[in-house]
Every structure is written in C-alpha cells, then in structure tokens.
Amino acid sequence: MKNCVTAQRGLFSGSGVQRFGRAAKVFSVLAASSVILSSCQSLFSPAYQSTLRPSDNPQTVEEVQKNDPRAQMGAREHPRIVASYGGEYHDAKTERLVARITGALTAVSENPQQSYRITILNSPAINAFALPGGYLYVTRGLLALANDASEVAAVLSHEMGHVTANHGIERQRREEAEVIASRVVAEVLSSDLAGKQALARGKLRLAAFSRQQELQADVIGVRMLGEAGYDPFASPRFLDSMAAYARFTSADPDSDQSLDFLSSHPNTPQRIELARRHARAFGQEGQVGDRGRDWFLDGIDGLLYGDSPQEGYVRGQTFLHGTLGIRFDVPEGFVIDNKVEAVLATGPGDMAIRFDGVADPKQTSLANYLTSGWVAGLIPETVRETQVNGLEAATARASADKWDFDVTVIRVGQQIFRFLTAVPKGSPQLDSVANVLRSSFRRMTPQEIASLKPLRVRVITVKPGETVATMAARMMGTDRKLDMFRVLNALSATVTLQPGQRVKIISE
C-alpha cells in the first residue's frame, strides 16, 4: 500500500482487488459507486584537450520519435503503466545491466532503426511487455527470478518482436473491428442465439490472433537471441522457471495472476518445444551461445525483492508500514497480498479482508464517516464508536448479496485507516476475524521502524560442505524456504550444490 494516503477513491470499487478472484467479487458487491547506457574508455592521453562540444541538436529518443504516431501511442500509455506497477525502479548497476542486454539485441533487431525506451518497474510481479513505439518494460520481480543475462534477453527479444511486428497496432485495430461488429450484432440480433454465437466467435478470433502474435514473437525472439550471441535455449529455459514460480505461488487457486507474464503469454508444452526447435538452428543445447551468468548476477546483487518500502512490508501474518508507522496482523490461514491500492488478504472458507486509508484533514466524526454513503448495505443501527489501542475508532456491519461485512475505521492523525472483513452470509467467524484485525492494529515504536528493512537478492558463493538445505535455511520472507530457494535458482529436486557455485538467496 502506498505510504501517502490520498483522498477517498471508491474503496471497494474493485480496481485494487484484481488478483484475488473471489475476494474481488466479495468487495465489488459492496461498491458504492530509456535510457540507453553505454560505457566507453577514452583512447586519448590525459594531456589531450578535446575541442569537441555537445551537439546543439542532440539525437535523443524524443527527437527521433517526435513524428512517430506509434511512439505517441506508447507515450500516452506510459504514465499509466508506470503508476500501475508501483513506479520506476532506479539502481544504476541494474539499469546498466538491462541496457547492456537491450543494446545487444537492438543491433540484431528486425528493424535496427527502431529506438527503445527500457523501464524497470518497481514491482515484485513477474512480467515484461512492450508498447508501440519501442516502450519496453521489465519488472524487478522478473530480474530476480532470472538466473543469467540470456534469460532476460529471451524475454526482451520476445517483447521487441512484438514492437517490430507492430503487434500492438494490429491488435488495437482488430479489437476496434470486433467492438464494432459486436455492437452491430447486439443491436440487430439482440438476445437471439445467433447473436450470442457471433459474439463468442469474435472473442475466439481475438484469442487466436493473440496466440498467433505470441508464437510469431517467440520465433523473432529466439532468432535475435542466437544472432546476438546469447544462448538461444534461454527462452524455453526461462519459460520453465516462470511456470515453476507460478506453481509455487498457486497456494491460492482463486488468485488472479493478471499482473504476471504467464497470464498474457500462454505457457504450454507445445510452445516450449517450438522454442527449442527454433533454438536448435543455432546448435546443440548447452554448446552454443553465452549465458552471461556471472556479470548478470553481479548486476542484480542487492536488488530489492518483494514489497518496496513505499508500500510497506508483509512478514508472515503481519503487515508493517514504517513510513505510516502502523502495523496489524491477520489470522492464521490468511494470505496477504500487498498491492499499490490496498492490502488484501484471503482466508479459508471464502473469507477476505481489505485494508487501505484516506486523508481526513477535516477530522470528520468517525461515526458520521461510516454513514456518509461510501459503503453500500451499511446497517446504521450497528454503528459504534470505540477505541483501538488508544486510537479513536468506529465499527459497523453491512450486508450485501451473499456476504456479511464488518467495517472498522481507525483515525491516526489526519488519516483514516479502513478495514473491511467479508465472510459468507451467516458465518460465525466474522467477529473473530475482525477482532484479530482490530486488536492487533497499533502504532509502531521508533525501534520497530528503525529495525524494519527491505528484503533484497543476495548473491553468495557456495562453500565446501554447504548444501541446498543449508543455503535455503538462510532465506527470509517465506515459510517455504527450500521450495523458494529451488525456484529462485532453477534447481531441480535432485540437484546438489558444488563449492564455488554462485546462488541467490533472499535476505535483508
């Protein structure tokens, strides 16, 4: 959750609950309303005095693309993309790493004249994508999962393939055509079965079109990998890693992976085999191309992992936010997802929790705030003013569709923090879940705030006698240390570590 609590924006509008399947449905029923970096060494002696001066008309990306309508389309969408993924991630070492990979791929691109803007997004999600005009995006979460430069190159070359093939423009045109066709079908055929079938066929055509685009980008990407000197088998290898990570995170089968790569890039055995077949054109697996492992690991050592300080931290069953100075616990069995818009948690038996906050400089009465209309289905006679660990608070009940809700608001300074607890109608667990939230919510002490540190990727060298188990024991931020260590390092269940091998762990 962002550390600046803003004016209220439809708390339960659904915009912040897109990854939590049933939880999204629960809350919606209550709604009231590039850098291109290079490094060069000087060929001149220290005594040489250059007469060269910066150009009065430098060829920047903006200058090159100023009359390109595709770049203008990307520029319009860029701020929204960055905001949706928690802003840009800035670290000179990591930025140089990604720019080095992008530069090598640009040289062998289908269109070497195409300029690219590469942005590292400050998100733990595993994703990468492109916009028309050469806007490329990769999340720090994807960089953390990758194990060498060729794997990142495989992802970026795939996205560059979308750009050079104008897939973004083509898909926009195709979607516009389907929207028009759908409108005509709806108006002319109304509820007729033929009308519904025509709408379904339109959706299938778009899906098939998207799959064809992905396969074409795969072919382009593998070719670029090989021609740039990278391991062309990195593409199927990293697809396997992302599939393993998806399995690891699928403890909640209803979670919506809408911000993850595999949701928009279908990962099928046939697709992986197709990538391997194209890679074999460059040689035998393991005998061709550079993986760039060591310099890649150097570039991500210290990379921020998981939640960013601006959005607070999840530690087991506890959410902590040092800047806001607050913390609370969720009951055992609940899984917390810290999103930009809100903190969400889902539990057994279709129970769900949402937490966020709004600014309240006018110091509105909390009882009046609860009944001001922002919660549909609120039961006015249940509004109660109370205290939560010395803080002013108020609670109420609400009911909608098949759900019962507890709504709790707590004032801290000029901010109101809001809990919504949802359970199936008639469930006896509403009180117990809401009470855990209320009783655990408190201000953090200065000592707690000072000790709160973000998790980072740490690259360490295996010493004699160290094993997968001993290395995994050093992992932080997860209860499934061994599983996560294997996924993070793409290790099979039978592999053993060798002295001198470099591996990734997560620690402060």
Side-chain angles (χ1 to χ4, degrees), residues 37-59:
L37 303 174
S38 61
S39 76
C40 11
Q41 293 180 325
S42 173
L43 299 178
F44 305 110
S45 69
Y48 175 80
Q49 298 296 318
S50 173
T51 58
L52 296 175
R53 301 182 60 185
S55 169
D56 293 329
N57 186 28
Q59 290 300 295

mmCIF file with all atom_site columns, all heavy atoms in Angstrom, residues 37-59:
data_model
loop_
_atom_site.group_PDB
_atom_site.id
_atom_site.type_symbol
_atom_site.label_atom_id
_atom_site.label_alt_id
_atom_site.label_comp_id
_atom_site.label_asym_id
_atom_site.label_entity_id
_atom_site.label_seq_id
_atom_site.pdbx_PDB_ins_code
_atom_site.Cartn_x
_atom_site.Cartn_y
_atom_site.Cartn_z
_atom_site.occupancy
_atom_site.B_iso_or_equiv
_atom_site.pdbx_formal_charge
_atom_site.auth_seq_id
_atom_site.auth_comp_id
_atom_site.auth_asym_id
_atom_site.auth_atom_id
_atom_site.pdbx_PDB_model_num
ATOM 1   N N   . LEU A 1 37 ? 22.259 3.079  -21.994 1.00 0.00 ? 37 LEU A N   1
ATOM 2   C CA  . LEU A 1 37 ? 23.524 3.367  -21.354 1.00 0.00 ? 37 LEU A CA  1
ATOM 3   C C   . LEU A 1 37 ? 24.657 2.682  -22.089 1.00 0.00 ? 37 LEU A C   1
ATOM 4   O O   . LEU A 1 37 ? 24.493 1.601  -22.620 1.00 0.00 ? 37 LEU A O   1
ATOM 5   C CB  . LEU A 1 37 ? 23.494 2.881  -19.892 1.00 0.00 ? 37 LEU A CB  1
ATOM 6   C CG  . LEU A 1 37 ? 22.371 3.451  -19.025 1.00 0.00 ? 37 LEU A CG  1
ATOM 7   C CD1 . LEU A 1 37 ? 22.380 2.773  -17.676 1.00 0.00 ? 37 LEU A CD1 1
ATOM 8   C CD2 . LEU A 1 37 ? 22.511 4.941  -18.875 1.00 0.00 ? 37 LEU A CD2 1
ATOM 9   N N   . SER A 1 38 ? 25.810 3.297  -22.122 1.00 0.00 ? 38 SER A N   1
ATOM 10  C CA  . SER A 1 38 ? 26.986 2.668  -22.712 1.00 0.00 ? 38 SER A CA  1
ATOM 11  C C   . SER A 1 38 ? 28.188 3.029  -21.877 1.00 0.00 ? 38 SER A C   1
ATOM 12  O O   . SER A 1 38 ? 28.189 4.026  -21.176 1.00 0.00 ? 38 SER A O   1
ATOM 13  C CB  . SER A 1 38 ? 27.191 3.136  -24.158 1.00 0.00 ? 38 SER A CB  1
ATOM 14  O OG  . SER A 1 38 ? 27.396 4.528  -24.193 1.00 0.00 ? 38 SER A OG  1
ATOM 15  N N   . SER A 1 39 ? 29.216 2.178  -21.942 1.00 0.00 ? 39 SER A N   1
ATOM 16  C CA  . SER A 1 39 ? 30.439 2.513  -21.247 1.00 0.00 ? 39 SER A CA  1
ATOM 17  C C   . SER A 1 39 ? 31.562 2.446  -22.257 1.00 0.00 ? 39 SER A C   1
ATOM 18  O O   . SER A 1 39 ? 31.659 1.496  -22.993 1.00 0.00 ? 39 SER A O   1
ATOM 19  C CB  . SER A 1 39 ? 30.696 1.540  -20.099 1.00 0.00 ? 39 SER A CB  1
ATOM 20  O OG  . SER A 1 39 ? 31.153 0.325  -20.573 1.00 0.00 ? 39 SER A OG  1
ATOM 21  N N   . CYS A 1 40 ? 32.347 3.511  -22.348 1.00 0.00 ? 40 CYS A N   1
ATOM 22  C CA  . CYS A 1 40 ? 33.472 3.515  -23.274 1.00 0.00 ? 40 CYS A CA  1
ATOM 23  C C   . CYS A 1 40 ? 34.698 4.065  -22.575 1.00 0.00 ? 40 CYS A C   1
ATOM 24  O O   . CYS A 1 40 ? 34.588 4.922  -21.722 1.00 0.00 ? 40 CYS A O   1
ATOM 25  C CB  . CYS A 1 40 ? 33.183 4.333  -24.516 1.00 0.00 ? 40 CYS A CB  1
ATOM 26  S SG  . CYS A 1 40 ? 31.742 5.360  -24.532 1.00 0.00 ? 40 CYS A SG  1
ATOM 27  N N   . GLN A 1 41 ? 35.829 3.548  -22.959 1.00 0.00 ? 41 GLN A N   1
ATOM 28  C CA  . GLN A 1 41 ? 37.093 4.016  -22.406 1.00 0.00 ? 41 GLN A CA  1
ATOM 29  C C   . GLN A 1 41 ? 37.699 5.035  -23.352 1.00 0.00 ? 41 GLN A C   1
ATOM 30  O O   . GLN A 1 41 ? 37.605 4.917  -24.568 1.00 0.00 ? 41 GLN A O   1
ATOM 31  C CB  . GLN A 1 41 ? 38.053 2.851  -22.223 1.00 0.00 ? 41 GLN A CB  1
ATOM 32  C CG  . GLN A 1 41 ? 37.606 1.861  -21.169 1.00 0.00 ? 41 GLN A CG  1
ATOM 33  C CD  . GLN A 1 41 ? 38.585 0.727  -21.035 1.00 0.00 ? 41 GLN A CD  1
ATOM 34  O OE1 . GLN A 1 41 ? 39.182 0.300  -22.013 1.00 0.00 ? 41 GLN A OE1 1
ATOM 35  N NE2 . GLN A 1 41 ? 38.767 0.249  -19.840 1.00 0.00 ? 41 GLN A NE2 1
ATOM 36  N N   . SER A 1 42 ? 38.327 6.067  -22.810 1.00 0.00 ? 42 SER A N   1
ATOM 37  C CA  . SER A 1 42 ? 38.952 7.082  -23.641 1.00 0.00 ? 42 SER A CA  1
ATOM 38  C C   . SER A 1 42 ? 40.190 6.526  -24.324 1.00 0.00 ? 42 SER A C   1
ATOM 39  O O   . SER A 1 42 ? 40.974 5.798  -23.729 1.00 0.00 ? 42 SER A O   1
ATOM 40  C CB  . SER A 1 42 ? 39.338 8.294  -22.773 1.00 0.00 ? 42 SER A CB  1
ATOM 41  O OG  . SER A 1 42 ? 40.075 9.217  -23.529 1.00 0.00 ? 42 SER A OG  1
ATOM 42  N N   . LEU A 1 43 ? 40.362 6.885  -25.595 1.00 0.00 ? 43 LEU A N   1
ATOM 43  C CA  . LEU A 1 43 ? 41.542 6.471  -26.344 1.00 0.00 ? 43 LEU A CA  1
ATOM 44  C C   . LEU A 1 43 ? 42.625 7.536  -26.310 1.00 0.00 ? 43 LEU A C   1
ATOM 45  O O   . LEU A 1 43 ? 43.664 7.402  -26.940 1.00 0.00 ? 43 LEU A O   1
ATOM 46  C CB  . LEU A 1 43 ? 41.156 6.193  -27.815 1.00 0.00 ? 43 LEU A CB  1
ATOM 47  C CG  . LEU A 1 43 ? 40.123 5.085  -28.033 1.00 0.00 ? 43 LEU A CG  1
ATOM 48  C CD1 . LEU A 1 43 ? 39.819 4.971  -29.510 1.00 0.00 ? 43 LEU A CD1 1
ATOM 49  C CD2 . LEU A 1 43 ? 40.632 3.777  -27.491 1.00 0.00 ? 43 LEU A CD2 1
ATOM 50  N N   . PHE A 1 44 ? 42.345 8.632  -25.612 1.00 0.00 ? 44 PHE A N   1
ATOM 51  C CA  . PHE A 1 44 ? 43.283 9.744  -25.600 1.00 0.00 ? 44 PHE A CA  1
ATOM 52  C C   . PHE A 1 44 ? 44.079 9.774  -24.304 1.00 0.00 ? 44 PHE A C   1
ATOM 53  O O   . PHE A 1 44 ? 43.650 9.288  -23.265 1.00 0.00 ? 44 PHE A O   1
ATOM 54  C CB  . PHE A 1 44 ? 42.527 11.075 -25.762 1.00 0.00 ? 44 PHE A CB  1
ATOM 55  C CG  . PHE A 1 44 ? 41.657 11.111 -26.989 1.00 0.00 ? 44 PHE A CG  1
ATOM 56  C CD1 . PHE A 1 44 ? 40.278 11.094 -26.887 1.00 0.00 ? 44 PHE A CD1 1
ATOM 57  C CD2 . PHE A 1 44 ? 42.229 11.146 -28.252 1.00 0.00 ? 44 PHE A CD2 1
ATOM 58  C CE1 . PHE A 1 44 ? 39.488 11.115 -28.010 1.00 0.00 ? 44 PHE A CE1 1
ATOM 59  C CE2 . PHE A 1 44 ? 41.437 11.174 -29.387 1.00 0.00 ? 44 PHE A CE2 1
ATOM 60  C CZ  . PHE A 1 44 ? 40.060 11.162 -29.264 1.00 0.00 ? 44 PHE A CZ  1
ATOM 61  N N   . SER A 1 45 ? 45.236 10.386 -24.377 1.00 0.00 ? 45 SER A N   1
ATOM 62  C CA  . SER A 1 45 ? 46.067 10.523 -23.178 1.00 0.00 ? 45 SER A CA  1
ATOM 63  C C   . SER A 1 45 ? 45.472 11.580 -22.282 1.00 0.00 ? 45 SER A C   1
ATOM 64  O O   . SER A 1 45 ? 44.742 12.464 -22.743 1.00 0.00 ? 45 SER A O   1
ATOM 65  C CB  . SER A 1 45 ? 47.491 10.937 -23.580 1.00 0.00 ? 45 SER A CB  1
ATOM 66  O OG  . SER A 1 45 ? 47.483 12.252 -24.085 1.00 0.00 ? 45 SER A OG  1
ATOM 67  N N   . PRO A 1 46 ? 45.827 11.573 -20.993 1.00 0.00 ? 46 PRO A N   1
ATOM 68  C CA  . PRO A 1 46 ? 45.272 12.565 -20.073 1.00 0.00 ? 46 PRO A CA  1
ATOM 69  C C   . PRO A 1 46 ? 45.609 13.998 -20.469 1.00 0.00 ? 46 PRO A C   1
ATOM 70  O O   . PRO A 1 46 ? 44.887 14.924 -20.098 1.00 0.00 ? 46 PRO A O   1
ATOM 71  C CB  . PRO A 1 46 ? 45.904 12.190 -18.721 1.00 0.00 ? 46 PRO A CB  1
ATOM 72  C CG  . PRO A 1 46 ? 46.255 10.756 -18.867 1.00 0.00 ? 46 PRO A CG  1
ATOM 73  C CD  . PRO A 1 46 ? 46.624 10.566 -20.307 1.00 0.00 ? 46 PRO A CD  1
ATOM 74  N N   . ALA A 1 47 ? 46.678 14.184 -21.221 1.00 0.00 ? 47 ALA A N   1
ATOM 75  C CA  . ALA A 1 47 ? 47.080 15.532 -21.577 1.00 0.00 ? 47 ALA A CA  1
ATOM 76  C C   . ALA A 1 47 ? 46.272 16.094 -22.744 1.00 0.00 ? 47 ALA A C   1
ATOM 77  O O   . ALA A 1 47 ? 46.327 17.279 -23.048 1.00 0.00 ? 47 ALA A O   1
ATOM 78  C CB  . ALA A 1 47 ? 48.574 15.557 -21.933 1.00 0.00 ? 47 ALA A CB  1
ATOM 79  N N   . TYR A 1 48 ? 45.543 15.236 -23.432 1.00 0.00 ? 48 TYR A N   1
ATOM 80  C CA  . TYR A 1 48 ? 44.827 15.669 -24.614 1.00 0.00 ? 48 TYR A CA  1
ATOM 81  C C   . TYR A 1 48 ? 43.659 16.559 -24.223 1.00 0.00 ? 48 TYR A C   1
ATOM 82  O O   . TYR A 1 48 ? 42.902 16.250 -23.314 1.00 0.00 ? 48 TYR A O   1
ATOM 83  C CB  . TYR A 1 48 ? 44.314 14.443 -25.388 1.00 0.00 ? 48 TYR A CB  1
ATOM 84  C CG  . TYR A 1 48 ? 43.452 14.803 -26.579 1.00 0.00 ? 48 TYR A CG  1
ATOM 85  C CD1 . TYR A 1 48 ? 44.033 15.200 -27.774 1.00 0.00 ? 48 TYR A CD1 1
ATOM 86  C CD2 . TYR A 1 48 ? 42.067 14.738 -26.488 1.00 0.00 ? 48 TYR A CD2 1
ATOM 87  C CE1 . TYR A 1 48 ? 43.259 15.519 -28.866 1.00 0.00 ? 48 TYR A CE1 1
ATOM 88  C CE2 . TYR A 1 48 ? 41.275 15.065 -27.561 1.00 0.00 ? 48 TYR A CE2 1
ATOM 89  C CZ  . TYR A 1 48 ? 41.861 15.456 -28.761 1.00 0.00 ? 48 TYR A CZ  1
ATOM 90  O OH  . TYR A 1 48 ? 41.081 15.770 -29.828 1.00 0.00 ? 48 TYR A OH  1
ATOM 91  N N   . GLN A 1 49 ? 43.503 17.706 -24.898 1.00 0.00 ? 49 GLN A N   1
ATOM 92  C CA  . GLN A 1 49 ? 42.406 18.616 -24.641 1.00 0.00 ? 49 GLN A CA  1
ATOM 93  C C   . GLN A 1 49 ? 41.432 18.575 -25.822 1.00 0.00 ? 49 GLN A C   1
ATOM 94  O O   . GLN A 1 49 ? 41.738 19.040 -26.915 1.00 0.00 ? 49 GLN A O   1
ATOM 95  C CB  . GLN A 1 49 ? 42.918 20.059 -24.449 1.00 0.00 ? 49 GLN A CB  1
ATOM 96  C CG  . GLN A 1 49 ? 43.853 20.221 -23.255 1.00 0.00 ? 49 GLN A CG  1
ATOM 97  C CD  . GLN A 1 49 ? 43.144 19.942 -21.952 1.00 0.00 ? 49 GLN A CD  1
ATOM 98  O OE1 . GLN A 1 49 ? 42.011 20.365 -21.766 1.00 0.00 ? 49 GLN A OE1 1
ATOM 99  N NE2 . GLN A 1 49 ? 43.805 19.246 -21.044 1.00 0.00 ? 49 GLN A NE2 1
ATOM 100 N N   . SER A 1 50 ? 40.306 17.982 -25.643 1.00 0.00 ? 50 SER A N   1
ATOM 101 C CA  . SER A 1 50 ? 39.359 17.821 -26.730 1.00 0.00 ? 50 SER A CA  1
ATOM 102 C C   . SER A 1 50 ? 38.678 19.143 -27.061 1.00 0.00 ? 50 SER A C   1
ATOM 103 O O   . SER A 1 50 ? 38.347 19.933 -26.173 1.00 0.00 ? 50 SER A O   1
ATOM 104 C CB  . SER A 1 50 ? 38.301 16.786 -26.356 1.00 0.00 ? 50 SER A CB  1
ATOM 105 O OG  . SER A 1 50 ? 37.293 16.754 -27.338 1.00 0.00 ? 50 SER A OG  1
ATOM 106 N N   . THR A 1 51 ? 38.495 19.383 -28.352 1.00 0.00 ? 51 THR A N   1
ATOM 107 C CA  . THR A 1 51 ? 37.749 20.558 -28.794 1.00 0.00 ? 51 THR A CA  1
ATOM 108 C C   . THR A 1 51 ? 36.293 20.221 -29.107 1.00 0.00 ? 51 THR A C   1
ATOM 109 O O   . THR A 1 51 ? 35.533 21.066 -29.560 1.00 0.00 ? 51 THR A O   1
ATOM 110 C CB  . THR A 1 51 ? 38.405 21.153 -30.061 1.00 0.00 ? 51 THR A CB  1
ATOM 111 O OG1 . THR A 1 51 ? 38.419 20.137 -31.073 1.00 0.00 ? 51 THR A OG1 1
ATOM 112 C CG2 . THR A 1 51 ? 39.822 21.622 -29.771 1.00 0.00 ? 51 THR A CG2 1
ATOM 113 N N   . LEU A 1 52 ? 35.932 18.927 -28.892 1.00 0.00 ? 52 LEU A N   1
ATOM 114 C CA  . LEU A 1 52 ? 34.561 18.512 -29.151 1.00 0.00 ? 52 LEU A CA  1
ATOM 115 C C   . LEU A 1 52 ? 33.606 19.119 -28.134 1.00 0.00 ? 52 LEU A C   1
ATOM 116 O O   . LEU A 1 52 ? 33.923 19.242 -26.947 1.00 0.00 ? 52 LEU A O   1
ATOM 117 C CB  . LEU A 1 52 ? 34.454 16.992 -29.114 1.00 0.00 ? 52 LEU A CB  1
ATOM 118 C CG  . LEU A 1 52 ? 35.239 16.231 -30.185 1.00 0.00 ? 52 LEU A CG  1
ATOM 119 C CD1 . LEU A 1 52 ? 35.123 14.745 -29.942 1.00 0.00 ? 52 LEU A CD1 1
ATOM 120 C CD2 . LEU A 1 52 ? 34.716 16.585 -31.574 1.00 0.00 ? 52 LEU A CD2 1
ATOM 121 N N   . ARG A 1 53 ? 32.433 19.520 -28.603 1.00 0.00 ? 53 ARG A N   1
ATOM 122 C CA  . ARG A 1 53 ? 31.422 20.096 -27.723 1.00 0.00 ? 53 ARG A CA  1
ATOM 123 C C   . ARG A 1 53 ? 30.098 19.381 -27.960 1.00 0.00 ? 53 ARG A C   1
ATOM 124 O O   . ARG A 1 53 ? 29.864 18.836 -29.051 1.00 0.00 ? 53 ARG A O   1
ATOM 125 C CB  . ARG A 1 53 ? 31.242 21.595 -28.017 1.00 0.00 ? 53 ARG A CB  1
ATOM 126 C CG  . ARG A 1 53 ? 32.519 22.399 -27.833 1.00 0.00 ? 53 ARG A CG  1
ATOM 127 C CD  . ARG A 1 53 ? 32.271 23.858 -28.098 1.00 0.00 ? 53 ARG A CD  1
ATOM 128 N NE  . ARG A 1 53 ? 31.267 24.399 -27.178 1.00 0.00 ? 53 ARG A NE  1
ATOM 129 C CZ  . ARG A 1 53 ? 30.801 25.656 -27.275 1.00 0.00 ? 53 ARG A CZ  1
ATOM 130 N NH1 . ARG A 1 53 ? 31.207 26.449 -28.229 1.00 0.00 ? 53 ARG A NH1 1
ATOM 131 N NH2 . ARG A 1 53 ? 29.902 26.075 -26.411 1.00 0.00 ? 53 ARG A NH2 1
ATOM 132 N N   . PRO A 1 54 ? 29.227 19.361 -26.957 1.00 0.00 ? 54 PRO A N   1
ATOM 133 C CA  . PRO A 1 54 ? 27.928 18.724 -27.153 1.00 0.00 ? 54 PRO A CA  1
ATOM 134 C C   . PRO A 1 54 ? 27.175 19.342 -28.318 1.00 0.00 ? 54 PRO A C   1
ATOM 135 O O   . PRO A 1 54 ? 27.260 20.546 -28.569 1.00 0.00 ? 54 PRO A O   1
ATOM 136 C CB  . PRO A 1 54 ? 27.199 18.967 -25.820 1.00 0.00 ? 54 PRO A CB  1
ATOM 137 C CG  . PRO A 1 54 ? 28.291 19.231 -24.831 1.00 0.00 ? 54 PRO A CG  1
ATOM 138 C CD  . PRO A 1 54 ? 29.382 19.895 -25.605 1.00 0.00 ? 54 PRO A CD  1
ATOM 139 N N   . SER A 1 55 ? 26.447 18.513 -29.021 1.00 0.00 ? 55 SER A N   1
ATOM 140 C CA  . SER A 1 55 ? 25.684 18.992 -30.161 1.00 0.00 ? 55 SER A CA  1
ATOM 141 C C   . SER A 1 55 ? 24.567 19.921 -29.705 1.00 0.00 ? 55 SER A C   1
ATOM 142 O O   . SER A 1 55 ? 23.972 19.747 -28.635 1.00 0.00 ? 55 SER A O   1
ATOM 143 C CB  . SER A 1 55 ? 25.089 17.808 -30.915 1.00 0.00 ? 55 SER A CB  1
ATOM 144 O OG  . SER A 1 55 ? 24.144 18.247 -31.872 1.00 0.00 ? 55 SER A OG  1
ATOM 145 N N   . ASP A 1 56 ? 24.319 20.956 -30.536 1.00 0.00 ? 56 ASP A N   1
ATOM 146 C CA  . ASP A 1 56 ? 23.185 21.839 -30.248 1.00 0.00 ? 56 ASP A CA  1
ATOM 147 C C   . ASP A 1 56 ? 21.861 21.181 -30.601 1.00 0.00 ? 56 ASP A C   1
ATOM 148 O O   . ASP A 1 56 ? 20.798 21.662 -30.234 1.00 0.00 ? 56 ASP A O   1
ATOM 149 C CB  . ASP A 1 56 ? 23.330 23.145 -31.046 1.00 0.00 ? 56 ASP A CB  1
ATOM 150 C CG  . ASP A 1 56 ? 24.523 23.969 -30.579 1.00 0.00 ? 56 ASP A CG  1
ATOM 151 O OD1 . ASP A 1 56 ? 24.857 23.888 -29.379 1.00 0.00 ? 56 ASP A OD1 1
ATOM 152 O OD2 . ASP A 1 56 ? 25.123 24.668 -31.420 1.00 0.00 ? 56 ASP A OD2 1
ATOM 153 N N   . ASN A 1 57 ? 21.924 20.083 -31.335 1.00 0.00 ? 57 ASN A N   1
ATOM 154 C CA  . ASN A 1 57 ? 20.725 19.360 -31.739 1.00 0.00 ? 57 ASN A CA  1
ATOM 155 C C   . ASN A 1 57 ? 20.934 17.862 -31.519 1.00 0.00 ? 57 ASN A C   1
ATOM 156 O O   . ASN A 1 57 ? 21.012 17.084 -32.460 1.00 0.00 ? 57 ASN A O   1
ATOM 157 C CB  . ASN A 1 57 ? 20.408 19.635 -33.211 1.00 0.00 ? 57 ASN A CB  1
ATOM 158 C CG  . ASN A 1 57 ? 19.084 19.004 -33.626 1.00 0.00 ? 57 ASN A CG  1
ATOM 159 O OD1 . ASN A 1 57 ? 18.184 18.830 -32.812 1.00 0.00 ? 57 ASN A OD1 1
ATOM 160 N ND2 . ASN A 1 57 ? 18.982 18.656 -34.911 1.00 0.00 ? 57 ASN A ND2 1
ATOM 161 N N   . PRO A 1 58 ? 21.037 17.438 -30.258 1.00 0.00 ? 58 PRO A N   1
ATOM 162 C CA  . PRO A 1 58 ? 21.343 16.032 -29.971 1.00 0.00 ? 58 PRO A CA  1
ATOM 163 C C   . PRO A 1 58 ? 20.235 15.112 -30.451 1.00 0.00 ? 58 PRO A C   1
ATOM 164 O O   . PRO A 1 58 ? 19.051 15.450 -30.416 1.00 0.00 ? 58 PRO A O   1
ATOM 165 C CB  . PRO A 1 58 ? 21.470 16.006 -28.441 1.00 0.00 ? 58 PRO A CB  1
ATOM 166 C CG  . PRO A 1 58 ? 20.650 17.164 -27.976 1.00 0.00 ? 58 PRO A CG  1
ATOM 167 C CD  . PRO A 1 58 ? 20.800 18.213 -29.028 1.00 0.00 ? 58 PRO A CD  1
ATOM 168 N N   . GLN A 1 59 ? 20.622 13.914 -30.908 1.00 0.00 ? 59 GLN A N   1
ATOM 169 C CA  . GLN A 1 59 ? 19.654 12.936 -31.387 1.00 0.00 ? 59 GLN A CA  1
ATOM 170 C C   . GLN A 1 59 ? 19.157 12.076 -30.224 1.00 0.00 ? 59 GLN A C   1
ATOM 171 O O   . GLN A 1 59 ? 19.579 10.949 -30.028 1.00 0.00 ? 59 GLN A O   1
ATOM 172 C CB  . GLN A 1 59 ? 20.268 12.069 -32.484 1.00 0.00 ? 59 GLN A CB  1
ATOM 173 C CG  . GLN A 1 59 ? 20.516 12.813 -33.782 1.00 0.00 ? 59 GLN A CG  1
ATOM 174 C CD  . GLN A 1 59 ? 19.222 13.386 -34.357 1.00 0.00 ? 59 GLN A CD  1
ATOM 175 O OE1 . GLN A 1 59 ? 18.339 12.637 -34.736 1.00 0.00 ? 59 GLN A OE1 1
ATOM 176 N NE2 . GLN A 1 59 ? 19.108 14.712 -34.407 1.00 0.00 ? 59 GLN A NE2 1
#
